[in-house]
Amino acid sequence: MRAEIITIGDELLIGQVVDTNSAWMAEKLNEHGIELYQITSVHDDREHIINALNEAFGRADLVLTTGGLGPTKDDITKHVLCEYFGSHLIEDERVRAHIYELYKERPDVLNRLTATQWLVPECAQILENRVGSAPLMVFHKGDKILASMPGVPYEMKIAMEEQILPYILELKIKNEKLKIIHKTLQVTGIPESSLAILLEEYENTKPEYLHLAYLPKDGIIRLRLSSYGEALEEEMQEWFDHLKGLVSDYLIADTDEPLEVIVGNLLKARGATIATAESCTGGKLAALLNKHAGSSAFYWGSVISYDNSVKEHLLGVPQEMIQAHGVVSEEVVRVMAESVRKQIGTDYAIATSGIAGPTGGSKEKPVGTVWMAWATPEGTTAECFHLGKLREQITDRACTKALVGMIKRLEVRG
C-alpha cells in the first residue's frame, strides 16, 4: 500500500505553524509497512486542494489529509471533499450528540458555528473524534481511500491511532502481503564520507533489494537498512549483524531510539539517577532528559548556571578558578558536575560550559569550544569539543556529545 499526506492550511505555508504532523504520521505508517510516497502542503484554497487530491490519487492507494476542519469560514476542507466526491452535507445525529457531550460544561461554545460541525458529507464514513468536535471522515474512490483528520496535533494523533490506522490496517491485511522492514544503527566519531568508504564493499555485495541510508544529525549518523518486502527477516538480520560488526568501533546503539531514551533505559536498569549542570546548553540537556514519560525514575534536576555568579554561589566554583582558567575549562566543568551530583544527591551528573557565540570567542577558545564533564561513582572525567560556528548547532551538538558520553560510561560500567 502506497500513501500520500496532504496538509491543508495557509499557516503552514507562511511558516506560522511548523508541520510536525507529517513526520509523526510518516513514522506510524512506516511501522505498519505502508510506504509513504509524498507529502504535500496546500493553501486553504478550493482549486489547490482539488489539484493536490487528483495528483495524490494518481500515485497512491491511501491519501491522508489534515487541517481545515474547523467551524470558521477559512476551514473549507469538508466542503471541498464533499464536492470532490460528488456528495452533499447532511446532519449526523451521532456527531451532534458527541459535540453536546464534549461541551456540556462549556455551553458558550455551542453556537451556530459549532453546529456546522455535525454537518457531514453523506458519502463519507464517519469515525469518532474522541477529543474534538471535527468528525473524522473516510471516503472511498474505487479501491482507494482518503481519510480526513484535524490539524491540531494531539487530536490528529489520537484519531490516527484509535480510528484511522485500525481501519486502514484491516483493509491492508486483506489486500496486501508485502511489508517494510527497517533496522537502524547509530554511530559516532567518524565522518560520513569515511563511513561510506568503510562500507563500500558491504554496499557493493548486499542484495539490491536491501537499501542502506545514511542519516547524519548533530554528530550522530544513523545507518538505516531497509527491505521492501523481498527479503526474509532472517536474511535481513544476517546483513544487519554484518553491518553492525563493520561499524563496531563507532557504534552507539543498535536501535533507532533517541539518545536520551537510551540513557534513561541504562539508568533505570541500574536503579540509578542523574542530574545536570548547564551553562552554554541553557537547559536543553535537562529538557531532553525529562522529555519522555517515566523520566522521573532517573532524572532528578538541574542547575542552569548561565551567569558566573550562579556557578560560584550555587555550584561552588571558586572565583579564583574562573579567573585562572576561564569559565570554559576542564577545571570548572569538573567542579560543576561534582557539585550538582552531590547537592541533588544523584549517582551521575553531566556539566556543560562553552562558547555558543556568535561573540565571546578568542584565539585560544574560539566560538564552538565546549567543555563537559561526567561525574560518576567511579570518578569524574572531562572532554573538550569544537562543535561548529552556529549557536543552535553548537548547543544541539553539545547535548548529543553529553548523552553519547553518558551512554559510553554507563555501558562500560555494564
PDB file of all heavy atoms in Angstrom, residues 5-14 19 22 38-56 59 64-68 74 76-77 80:
ATOM      1  N   ILE A   5       0.412  12.139   2.030  1.00  0.00           N
ATOM      2  CA  ILE A   5      -0.145  13.041   3.042  1.00  0.00           C
ATOM      3  C   ILE A   5      -0.333  14.414   2.425  1.00  0.00           C
ATOM      4  O   ILE A   5       0.566  14.926   1.752  1.00  0.00           O
ATOM      5  CB  ILE A   5       0.783  13.143   4.268  1.00  0.00           C
ATOM      6  CG1 ILE A   5       0.891  11.791   4.966  1.00  0.00           C
ATOM      7  CG2 ILE A   5       0.292  14.205   5.241  1.00  0.00           C
ATOM      8  CD1 ILE A   5       1.951  11.758   6.063  1.00  0.00           C
ATOM      9  N   ILE A   6      -1.502  14.998   2.657  1.00  0.00           N
ATOM     10  CA  ILE A   6      -1.760  16.380   2.240  1.00  0.00           C
ATOM     11  C   ILE A   6      -2.105  17.179   3.485  1.00  0.00           C
ATOM     12  O   ILE A   6      -3.103  16.891   4.160  1.00  0.00           O
ATOM     13  CB  ILE A   6      -2.909  16.466   1.219  1.00  0.00           C
ATOM     14  CG1 ILE A   6      -2.588  15.645  -0.032  1.00  0.00           C
ATOM     15  CG2 ILE A   6      -3.183  17.926   0.853  1.00  0.00           C
ATOM     16  CD1 ILE A   6      -3.746  15.570  -1.023  1.00  0.00           C
ATOM     17  N   THR A   7      -1.288  18.162   3.818  1.00  0.00           N
ATOM     18  CA  THR A   7      -1.587  19.046   4.942  1.00  0.00           C
ATOM     19  C   THR A   7      -2.170  20.338   4.393  1.00  0.00           C
ATOM     20  O   THR A   7      -1.646  20.912   3.440  1.00  0.00           O
ATOM     21  CB  THR A   7      -0.331  19.342   5.776  1.00  0.00           C
ATOM     22  OG1 THR A   7       0.656  19.977   4.952  1.00  0.00           O
ATOM     23  CG2 THR A   7       0.261  18.052   6.326  1.00  0.00           C
ATOM     24  N   ILE A   8      -3.258  20.778   5.005  1.00  0.00           N
ATOM     25  CA  ILE A   8      -4.025  21.899   4.465  1.00  0.00           C
ATOM     26  C   ILE A   8      -4.016  23.054   5.454  1.00  0.00           C
ATOM     27  O   ILE A   8      -4.342  22.887   6.626  1.00  0.00           O
ATOM     28  CB  ILE A   8      -5.478  21.460   4.180  1.00  0.00           C
ATOM     29  CG1 ILE A   8      -5.486  20.295   3.177  1.00  0.00           C
ATOM     30  CG2 ILE A   8      -6.307  22.633   3.657  1.00  0.00           C
ATOM     31  CD1 ILE A   8      -6.826  19.602   3.045  1.00  0.00           C
ATOM     32  N   GLY A   9      -3.617  24.250   4.980  1.00  0.00           N
ATOM     33  CA  GLY A   9      -3.648  25.430   5.836  1.00  0.00           C
ATOM     34  C   GLY A   9      -2.625  26.470   5.425  1.00  0.00           C
ATOM     35  O   GLY A   9      -1.450  26.152   5.259  1.00  0.00           O
ATOM     36  N   ASP A  10      -3.072  27.707   5.266  1.00  0.00           N
ATOM     37  CA  ASP A  10      -2.162  28.794   4.924  1.00  0.00           C
ATOM     38  C   ASP A  10      -1.044  28.944   5.957  1.00  0.00           C
ATOM     39  O   ASP A  10       0.081  29.324   5.628  1.00  0.00           O
ATOM     40  CB  ASP A  10      -2.931  30.116   4.836  1.00  0.00           C
ATOM     41  CG  ASP A  10      -3.916  30.146   3.681  1.00  0.00           C
ATOM     42  OD1 ASP A  10      -3.861  29.229   2.833  1.00  0.00           O
ATOM     43  OD2 ASP A  10      -4.742  31.068   3.621  1.00  0.00           O
ATOM     44  N   GLU A  11      -1.378  28.677   7.241  1.00  0.00           N
ATOM     45  CA  GLU A  11      -0.407  28.867   8.316  1.00  0.00           C
ATOM     46  C   GLU A  11       0.836  28.006   8.131  1.00  0.00           C
ATOM     47  O   GLU A  11       1.931  28.363   8.577  1.00  0.00           O
ATOM     48  CB  GLU A  11      -1.057  28.567   9.676  1.00  0.00           C
ATOM     49  CG  GLU A  11      -1.452  27.118   9.927  1.00  0.00           C
ATOM     50  CD  GLU A  11      -2.800  26.736   9.328  1.00  0.00           C
ATOM     51  OE1 GLU A  11      -3.396  27.553   8.594  1.00  0.00           O
ATOM     52  OE2 GLU A  11      -3.248  25.605   9.582  1.00  0.00           O
ATOM     53  N   LEU A  12       0.705  26.878   7.445  1.00  0.00           N
ATOM     54  CA  LEU A  12       1.852  26.006   7.196  1.00  0.00           C
ATOM     55  C   LEU A  12       2.777  26.586   6.138  1.00  0.00           C
ATOM     56  O   LEU A  12       3.991  26.361   6.159  1.00  0.00           O
ATOM     57  CB  LEU A  12       1.378  24.623   6.746  1.00  0.00           C
ATOM     58  CG  LEU A  12       0.480  23.850   7.709  1.00  0.00           C
ATOM     59  CD1 LEU A  12      -0.104  22.621   7.018  1.00  0.00           C
ATOM     60  CD2 LEU A  12       1.263  23.442   8.945  1.00  0.00           C
ATOM     61  N   LEU A  13       2.202  27.320   5.205  1.00  0.00           N
ATOM     62  CA  LEU A  13       2.960  27.816   4.054  1.00  0.00           C
ATOM     63  C   LEU A  13       3.594  29.175   4.288  1.00  0.00           C
ATOM     64  O   LEU A  13       4.424  29.621   3.492  1.00  0.00           O
ATOM     65  CB  LEU A  13       2.056  27.859   2.823  1.00  0.00           C
ATOM     66  CG  LEU A  13       1.586  26.453   2.374  1.00  0.00           C
ATOM     67  CD1 LEU A  13       0.432  26.559   1.401  1.00  0.00           C
ATOM     68  CD2 LEU A  13       2.728  25.700   1.744  1.00  0.00           C
ATOM     69  N   ILE A  14       3.210  29.837   5.382  1.00  0.00           N
ATOM     70  CA  ILE A  14       3.856  31.118   5.709  1.00  0.00           C
ATOM     71  C   ILE A  14       4.785  30.974   6.905  1.00  0.00           C
ATOM     72  O   ILE A  14       5.340  31.955   7.396  1.00  0.00           O
ATOM     73  CB  ILE A  14       2.814  32.230   5.970  1.00  0.00           C
ATOM     74  CG1 ILE A  14       1.941  31.887   7.188  1.00  0.00           C
ATOM     75  CG2 ILE A  14       1.951  32.464   4.742  1.00  0.00           C
ATOM     76  CD1 ILE A  14       1.001  33.023   7.602  1.00  0.00           C
ATOM     77  N   ASP A  19       4.931  22.072  10.486  1.00  0.00           N
ATOM     78  CA  ASP A  19       4.223  20.811  10.239  1.00  0.00           C
ATOM     79  C   ASP A  19       4.939  19.654  10.925  1.00  0.00           C
ATOM     80  O   ASP A  19       5.835  19.034  10.367  1.00  0.00           O
ATOM     81  CB  ASP A  19       4.124  20.558   8.730  1.00  0.00           C
ATOM     82  CG  ASP A  19       3.519  19.196   8.415  1.00  0.00           C
ATOM     83  OD1 ASP A  19       2.778  18.669   9.270  1.00  0.00           O
ATOM     84  OD2 ASP A  19       3.793  18.659   7.326  1.00  0.00           O
ATOM     85  N   SER A  22       3.163  15.581   9.804  1.00  0.00           N
ATOM     86  CA  SER A  22       3.588  14.690   8.724  1.00  0.00           C
ATOM     87  C   SER A  22       4.682  13.732   9.162  1.00  0.00           C
ATOM     88  O   SER A  22       4.662  12.550   8.823  1.00  0.00           O
ATOM     89  CB  SER A  22       4.060  15.506   7.518  1.00  0.00           C
ATOM     90  OG  SER A  22       2.981  16.219   6.952  1.00  0.00           O
ATOM     91  N   GLN A  38       4.780  10.665  -0.835  1.00  0.00           N
ATOM     92  CA  GLN A  38       4.945  12.120  -0.944  1.00  0.00           C
ATOM     93  C   GLN A  38       4.145  12.830   0.137  1.00  0.00           C
ATOM     94  O   GLN A  38       3.107  12.346   0.584  1.00  0.00           O
ATOM     95  CB  GLN A  38       4.477  12.602  -2.329  1.00  0.00           C
ATOM     96  CG  GLN A  38       4.698  14.100  -2.569  1.00  0.00           C
ATOM     97  CD  GLN A  38       4.583  14.466  -4.033  1.00  0.00           C
ATOM     98  OE1 GLN A  38       5.178  13.815  -4.884  1.00  0.00           O
ATOM     99  NE2 GLN A  38       3.812  15.493  -4.335  1.00  0.00           N
ATOM    100  N   ILE A  39       4.662  13.997   0.566  1.00  0.00           N
ATOM    101  CA  ILE A  39       3.957  14.891   1.488  1.00  0.00           C
ATOM    102  C   ILE A  39       3.776  16.228   0.777  1.00  0.00           C
ATOM    103  O   ILE A  39       4.729  16.778   0.224  1.00  0.00           O
ATOM    104  CB  ILE A  39       4.754  15.098   2.782  1.00  0.00           C
ATOM    105  CG1 ILE A  39       4.951  13.764   3.514  1.00  0.00           C
ATOM    106  CG2 ILE A  39       4.050  16.095   3.703  1.00  0.00           C
ATOM    107  CD1 ILE A  39       5.917  13.845   4.681  1.00  0.00           C
ATOM    108  N   THR A  40       2.560  16.740   0.806  1.00  0.00           N
ATOM    109  CA  THR A  40       2.243  17.988   0.115  1.00  0.00           C
ATOM    110  C   THR A  40       1.523  18.930   1.076  1.00  0.00           C
ATOM    111  O   THR A  40       0.641  18.500   1.816  1.00  0.00           O
ATOM    112  CB  THR A  40       1.330  17.732  -1.102  1.00  0.00           C
ATOM    113  OG1 THR A  40       1.957  16.776  -1.959  1.00  0.00           O
ATOM    114  CG2 THR A  40       1.060  19.016  -1.872  1.00  0.00           C
ATOM    115  N   SER A  41       1.896  20.206   1.061  1.00  0.00           N
ATOM    116  CA  SER A  41       1.178  21.217   1.833  1.00  0.00           C
ATOM    117  C   SER A  41       0.486  22.179   0.868  1.00  0.00           C
ATOM    118  O   SER A  41       1.099  22.609  -0.121  1.00  0.00           O
ATOM    119  CB  SER A  41       2.135  21.998   2.736  1.00  0.00           C
ATOM    120  OG  SER A  41       2.676  21.156   3.730  1.00  0.00           O
ATOM    121  N   VAL A  42      -0.773  22.507   1.151  1.00  0.00           N
ATOM    122  CA  VAL A  42      -1.542  23.359   0.251  1.00  0.00           C
ATOM    123  C   VAL A  42      -2.250  24.455   1.040  1.00  0.00           C
ATOM    124  O   VAL A  42      -2.471  24.342   2.247  1.00  0.00           O
ATOM    125  CB  VAL A  42      -2.584  22.551  -0.555  1.00  0.00           C
ATOM    126  CG1 VAL A  42      -1.908  21.515  -1.425  1.00  0.00           C
ATOM    127  CG2 VAL A  42      -3.609  21.901   0.362  1.00  0.00           C
ATOM    128  N   HIS A  43      -2.620  25.512   0.306  1.00  0.00           N
ATOM    129  CA  HIS A  43      -3.375  26.621   0.886  1.00  0.00           C
ATOM    130  C   HIS A  43      -4.819  26.202   1.177  1.00  0.00           C
ATOM    131  O   HIS A  43      -5.316  25.185   0.669  1.00  0.00           O
ATOM    132  CB  HIS A  43      -3.401  27.801  -0.089  1.00  0.00           C
ATOM    133  CG  HIS A  43      -2.105  28.526  -0.203  1.00  0.00           C
ATOM    134  ND1 HIS A  43      -1.660  29.410   0.752  1.00  0.00           N
ATOM    135  CD2 HIS A  43      -1.147  28.509  -1.176  1.00  0.00           C
ATOM    136  CE1 HIS A  43      -0.492  29.907   0.382  1.00  0.00           C
ATOM    137  NE2 HIS A  43      -0.156  29.375  -0.784  1.00  0.00           N
ATOM    138  N   ASP A  44      -5.480  27.011   1.989  1.00  0.00           N
ATOM    139  CA  ASP A  44      -6.924  26.863   2.180  1.00  0.00           C
ATOM    140  C   ASP A  44      -7.607  27.410   0.918  1.00  0.00           C
ATOM    141  O   ASP A  44      -8.247  28.481   0.935  1.00  0.00           O
ATOM    142  CB  ASP A  44      -7.383  27.650   3.414  1.00  0.00           C
ATOM    143  CG  ASP A  44      -6.831  27.074   4.702  1.00  0.00           C
ATOM    144  OD1 ASP A  44      -7.125  25.895   4.962  1.00  0.00           O
ATOM    145  OD2 ASP A  44      -6.135  27.783   5.436  1.00  0.00           O
ATOM    146  N   ASP A  45      -7.473  26.694  -0.145  1.00  0.00           N
ATOM    147  CA  ASP A  45      -7.966  27.154  -1.443  1.00  0.00           C
ATOM    148  C   ASP A  45      -8.572  25.963  -2.189  1.00  0.00           C
ATOM    149  O   ASP A  45      -7.916  24.921  -2.342  1.00  0.00           O
ATOM    150  CB  ASP A  45      -6.808  27.762  -2.244  1.00  0.00           C
ATOM    151  CG  ASP A  45      -7.214  28.151  -3.650  1.00  0.00           C
ATOM    152  OD1 ASP A  45      -7.806  29.233  -3.804  1.00  0.00           O
ATOM    153  OD2 ASP A  45      -6.949  27.353  -4.575  1.00  0.00           O
ATOM    154  N   ARG A  46      -9.801  26.118  -2.666  1.00  0.00           N
ATOM    155  CA  ARG A  46     -10.530  25.013  -3.292  1.00  0.00           C
ATOM    156  C   ARG A  46      -9.746  24.390  -4.438  1.00  0.00           C
ATOM    157  O   ARG A  46      -9.544  23.165  -4.487  1.00  0.00           O
ATOM    158  CB  ARG A  46     -11.891  25.516  -3.782  1.00  0.00           C
ATOM    159  CG  ARG A  46     -12.651  24.510  -4.644  1.00  0.00           C
ATOM    160  CD  ARG A  46     -13.863  25.145  -5.299  1.00  0.00           C
ATOM    161  NE  ARG A  46     -14.428  24.242  -6.300  1.00  0.00           N
ATOM    162  CZ  ARG A  46     -13.985  24.124  -7.544  1.00  0.00           C
ATOM    163  NH1 ARG A  46     -12.941  24.856  -7.945  1.00  0.00           N
ATOM    164  NH2 ARG A  46     -14.557  23.276  -8.391  1.00  0.00           N
ATOM    165  N   GLU A  47      -9.292  25.189  -5.366  1.00  0.00           N
ATOM    166  CA  GLU A  47      -8.622  24.663  -6.550  1.00  0.00           C
ATOM    167  C   GLU A  47      -7.308  23.973  -6.183  1.00  0.00           C
ATOM    168  O   GLU A  47      -6.981  22.917  -6.728  1.00  0.00           O
ATOM    169  CB  GLU A  47      -8.359  25.794  -7.541  1.00  0.00           C
ATOM    170  CG  GLU A  47      -7.787  25.300  -8.873  1.00  0.00           C
ATOM    171  CD  GLU A  47      -7.654  26.415  -9.897  1.00  0.00           C
ATOM    172  OE1 GLU A  47      -8.156  27.530  -9.649  1.00  0.00           O
ATOM    173  OE2 GLU A  47      -7.039  26.160 -10.948  1.00  0.00           O
ATOM    174  N   HIS A  48      -6.579  24.570  -5.239  1.00  0.00           N
ATOM    175  CA  HIS A  48      -5.305  23.993  -4.806  1.00  0.00           C
ATOM    176  C   HIS A  48      -5.528  22.621  -4.167  1.00  0.00           C
ATOM    177  O   HIS A  48      -4.788  21.664  -4.426  1.00  0.00           O
ATOM    178  CB  HIS A  48      -4.631  24.946  -3.813  1.00  0.00           C
ATOM    179  CG  HIS A  48      -3.161  24.718  -3.671  1.00  0.00           C
ATOM    180  ND1 HIS A  48      -2.359  25.476  -2.847  1.00  0.00           N
ATOM    181  CD2 HIS A  48      -2.329  23.813  -4.251  1.00  0.00           C
ATOM    182  CE1 HIS A  48      -1.116  25.038  -2.917  1.00  0.00           C
ATOM    183  NE2 HIS A  48      -1.069  24.038  -3.762  1.00  0.00           N
ATOM    184  N   ILE A  49      -6.549  22.512  -3.329  1.00  0.00           N
ATOM    185  CA  ILE A  49      -6.849  21.235  -2.663  1.00  0.00           C
ATOM    186  C   ILE A  49      -7.261  20.183  -3.691  1.00  0.00           C
ATOM    187  O   ILE A  49      -6.786  19.040  -3.662  1.00  0.00           O
ATOM    188  CB  ILE A  49      -7.951  21.426  -1.602  1.00  0.00           C
ATOM    189  CG1 ILE A  49      -7.460  22.337  -0.481  1.00  0.00           C
ATOM    190  CG2 ILE A  49      -8.378  20.065  -1.032  1.00  0.00           C
ATOM    191  CD1 ILE A  49      -8.537  22.747   0.506  1.00  0.00           C
ATOM    192  N   ILE A  50      -8.133  20.546  -4.629  1.00  0.00           N
ATOM    193  CA  ILE A  50      -8.612  19.591  -5.629  1.00  0.00           C
ATOM    194  C   ILE A  50      -7.464  19.100  -6.510  1.00  0.00           C
ATOM    195  O   ILE A  50      -7.351  17.905  -6.808  1.00  0.00           O
ATOM    196  CB  ILE A  50      -9.737  20.215  -6.479  1.00  0.00           C
ATOM    197  CG1 ILE A  50     -11.014  20.327  -5.633  1.00  0.00           C
ATOM    198  CG2 ILE A  50     -10.010  19.385  -7.736  1.00  0.00           C
ATOM    199  CD1 ILE A  50     -12.160  21.024  -6.316  1.00  0.00           C
ATOM    200  N   ASN A  51      -6.584  20.015  -6.918  1.00  0.00           N
ATOM    201  CA  ASN A  51      -5.427  19.600  -7.725  1.00  0.00           C
ATOM    202  C   ASN A  51      -4.527  18.632  -6.959  1.00  0.00           C
ATOM    203  O   ASN A  51      -4.038  17.635  -7.518  1.00  0.00           O
ATOM    204  CB  ASN A  51      -4.622  20.832  -8.147  1.00  0.00           C
ATOM    205  CG  ASN A  51      -5.324  21.646  -9.213  1.00  0.00           C
ATOM    206  OD1 ASN A  51      -6.226  21.150  -9.895  1.00  0.00           O
ATOM    207  ND2 ASN A  51      -4.946  22.904  -9.364  1.00  0.00           N
ATOM    208  N   ALA A  52      -4.328  18.914  -5.672  1.00  0.00           N
ATOM    209  CA  ALA A  52      -3.492  18.038  -4.856  1.00  0.00           C
ATOM    210  C   ALA A  52      -4.132  16.658  -4.700  1.00  0.00           C
ATOM    211  O   ALA A  52      -3.439  15.634  -4.742  1.00  0.00           O
ATOM    212  CB  ALA A  52      -3.262  18.671  -3.484  1.00  0.00           C
ATOM    213  N   LEU A  53      -5.450  16.627  -4.552  1.00  0.00           N
ATOM    214  CA  LEU A  53      -6.154  15.342  -4.442  1.00  0.00           C
ATOM    215  C   LEU A  53      -6.036  14.534  -5.726  1.00  0.00           C
ATOM    216  O   LEU A  53      -5.770  13.325  -5.690  1.00  0.00           O
ATOM    217  CB  LEU A  53      -7.626  15.581  -4.102  1.00  0.00           C
ATOM    218  CG  LEU A  53      -7.939  16.130  -2.710  1.00  0.00           C
ATOM    219  CD1 LEU A  53      -9.421  16.493  -2.610  1.00  0.00           C
ATOM    220  CD2 LEU A  53      -7.570  15.126  -1.636  1.00  0.00           C
ATOM    221  N   ASN A  54      -6.209  15.181  -6.848  1.00  0.00           N
ATOM    222  CA  ASN A  54      -6.102  14.480  -8.140  1.00  0.00           C
ATOM    223  C   ASN A  54      -4.710  13.883  -8.320  1.00  0.00           C
ATOM    224  O   ASN A  54      -4.558  12.731  -8.746  1.00  0.00           O
ATOM    225  CB  ASN A  54      -6.413  15.435  -9.289  1.00  0.00           C
ATOM    226  CG  ASN A  54      -7.904  15.705  -9.427  1.00  0.00           C
ATOM    227  OD1 ASN A  54      -8.733  14.860  -9.079  1.00  0.00           O
ATOM    228  ND2 ASN A  54      -8.249  16.876  -9.934  1.00  0.00           N
ATOM    229  N   GLU A  55      -3.684  14.664  -8.000  1.00  0.00           N
ATOM    230  CA  GLU A  55      -2.317  14.185  -8.152  1.00  0.00           C
ATOM    231  C   GLU A  55      -2.025  13.039  -7.189  1.00  0.00           C
ATOM    232  O   GLU A  55      -1.394  12.035  -7.552  1.00  0.00           O
ATOM    233  CB  GLU A  55      -1.333  15.337  -7.916  1.00  0.00           C
ATOM    234  CG  GLU A  55      -1.375  16.391  -9.017  1.00  0.00           C
ATOM    235  CD  GLU A  55      -0.440  17.554  -8.739  1.00  0.00           C
ATOM    236  OE1 GLU A  55       0.365  17.447  -7.779  1.00  0.00           O
ATOM    237  OE2 GLU A  55      -0.500  18.565  -9.467  1.00  0.00           O
ATOM    238  N   ALA A  56      -2.481  13.174  -5.943  1.00  0.00           N
ATOM    239  CA  ALA A  56      -2.224  12.131  -4.945  1.00  0.00           C
ATOM    240  C   ALA A  56      -2.906  10.828  -5.323  1.00  0.00           C
ATOM    241  O   ALA A  56      -2.299   9.741  -5.241  1.00  0.00           O
ATOM    242  CB  ALA A  56      -2.689  12.605  -3.567  1.00  0.00           C
ATOM    243  N   ARG A  59      -1.160   8.603  -7.748  1.00  0.00           N
ATOM    244  CA  ARG A  59       0.058   7.900  -7.345  1.00  0.00           C
ATOM    245  C   ARG A  59      -0.155   6.928  -6.192  1.00  0.00           C
ATOM    246  O   ARG A  59       0.593   5.973  -6.039  1.00  0.00           O
ATOM    247  CB  ARG A  59       1.122   8.923  -6.899  1.00  0.00           C
ATOM    248  CG  ARG A  59       1.627   9.848  -7.984  1.00  0.00           C
ATOM    249  CD  ARG A  59       2.683  10.795  -7.430  1.00  0.00           C
ATOM    250  NE  ARG A  59       2.138  11.726  -6.467  1.00  0.00           N
ATOM    251  CZ  ARG A  59       1.955  13.031  -6.697  1.00  0.00           C
ATOM    252  NH1 ARG A  59       2.274  13.538  -7.882  1.00  0.00           N
ATOM    253  NH2 ARG A  59       1.460  13.820  -5.765  1.00  0.00           N
ATOM    254  N   LEU A  64      -4.034  10.734   3.114  1.00  0.00           N
ATOM    255  CA  LEU A  64      -4.366  11.236   4.441  1.00  0.00           C
ATOM    256  C   LEU A  64      -4.298  12.756   4.415  1.00  0.00           C
ATOM    257  O   LEU A  64      -3.287  13.323   3.996  1.00  0.00           O
ATOM    258  CB  LEU A  64      -3.376  10.700   5.477  1.00  0.00           C
ATOM    259  CG  LEU A  64      -3.308   9.183   5.619  1.00  0.00           C
ATOM    260  CD1 LEU A  64      -2.133   8.787   6.503  1.00  0.00           C
ATOM    261  CD2 LEU A  64      -4.602   8.630   6.193  1.00  0.00           C
ATOM    262  N   THR A  65      -5.353  13.417   4.848  1.00  0.00           N
ATOM    263  CA  THR A  65      -5.353  14.874   4.901  1.00  0.00           C
ATOM    264  C   THR A  65      -5.506  15.330   6.342  1.00  0.00           C
ATOM    265  O   THR A  65      -6.168  14.685   7.151  1.00  0.00           O
ATOM    266  CB  THR A  65      -6.479  15.492   4.050  1.00  0.00           C
ATOM    267  OG1 THR A  65      -7.746  15.255   4.679  1.00  0.00           O
ATOM    268  CG2 THR A  65      -6.483  14.932   2.643  1.00  0.00           C
ATOM    269  N   THR A  66      -4.864  16.452   6.663  1.00  0.00           N
ATOM    270  CA  THR A  66      -5.041  17.076   7.978  1.00  0.00           C
ATOM    271  C   THR A  66      -5.304  18.557   7.772  1.00  0.00           C
ATOM    272  O   THR A  66      -4.738  19.179   6.865  1.00  0.00           O
ATOM    273  CB  THR A  66      -3.804  16.912   8.879  1.00  0.00           C
ATOM    274  OG1 THR A  66      -2.695  17.620   8.309  1.00  0.00           O
ATOM    275  CG2 THR A  66      -3.430  15.449   9.059  1.00  0.00           C
ATOM    276  N   GLY A  67      -6.138  19.105   8.645  1.00  0.00           N
ATOM    277  CA  GLY A  67      -6.371  20.542   8.644  1.00  0.00           C
ATOM    278  C   GLY A  67      -7.622  20.972   7.911  1.00  0.00           C
ATOM    279  O   GLY A  67      -8.179  20.246   7.088  1.00  0.00           O
ATOM    280  N   GLY A  68      -8.061  22.177   8.244  1.00  0.00           N
ATOM    281  CA  GLY A  68      -9.191  22.801   7.564  1.00  0.00           C
ATOM    282  C   GLY A  68     -10.549  22.261   7.938  1.00  0.00           C
ATOM    283  O   GLY A  68     -11.511  22.406   7.180  1.00  0.00           O
ATOM    284  N   ASP A  74     -12.616  30.107   7.035  1.00  0.00           N
ATOM    285  CA  ASP A  74     -11.406  29.704   6.304  1.00  0.00           C
ATOM    286  C   ASP A  74     -11.201  28.189   6.293  1.00  0.00           C
ATOM    287  O   ASP A  74     -10.327  27.685   5.602  1.00  0.00           O
ATOM    288  CB  ASP A  74     -10.169  30.387   6.891  1.00  0.00           C
ATOM    289  CG  ASP A  74      -9.920  30.015   8.344  1.00  0.00           C
ATOM    290  OD1 ASP A  74     -10.917  29.842   9.082  1.00  0.00           O
ATOM    291  OD2 ASP A  74      -8.760  29.904   8.760  1.00  0.00           O
ATOM    292  N   ILE A  76     -12.238  25.070   4.896  1.00  0.00           N
ATOM    293  CA  ILE A  76     -13.060  24.667   3.748  1.00  0.00           C
ATOM    294  C   ILE A  76     -12.878  23.209   3.346  1.00  0.00           C
ATOM    295  O   ILE A  76     -13.513  22.744   2.397  1.00  0.00           O
ATOM    296  CB  ILE A  76     -12.740  25.561   2.528  1.00  0.00           C
ATOM    297  CG1 ILE A  76     -11.289  25.343   2.051  1.00  0.00           C
ATOM    298  CG2 ILE A  76     -12.992  27.028   2.843  1.00  0.00           C
ATOM    299  CD1 ILE A  76     -10.982  26.004   0.717  1.00  0.00           C
ATOM    300  N   THR A  77     -12.030  22.470   4.082  1.00  0.00           N
ATOM    301  CA  THR A  77     -11.700  21.105   3.658  1.00  0.00           C
ATOM    302  C   THR A  77     -12.937  20.230   3.494  1.00  0.00           C
ATOM    303  O   THR A  77     -13.094  19.524   2.488  1.00  0.00           O
ATOM    304  CB  THR A  77     -10.729  20.452   4.663  1.00  0.00           C
ATOM    305  OG1 THR A  77      -9.521  21.229   4.710  1.00  0.00           O
ATOM    306  CG2 THR A  77     -10.392  19.028   4.244  1.00  0.00           C
ATOM    307  N   VAL A  80     -14.883  21.104   0.354  1.00  0.00           N
ATOM    308  CA  VAL A  80     -14.183  20.717  -0.871  1.00  0.00           C
ATOM    309  C   VAL A  80     -14.244  19.197  -1.054  1.00  0.00           C
ATOM    310  O   VAL A  80     -14.470  18.708  -2.173  1.00  0.00           O
ATOM    311  CB  VAL A  80     -12.724  21.210  -0.846  1.00  0.00           C
ATOM    312  CG1 VAL A  80     -11.965  20.692  -2.063  1.00  0.00           C
ATOM    313  CG2 VAL A  80     -12.674  22.733  -0.803  1.00  0.00           C
TER     314      VAL A  80
END
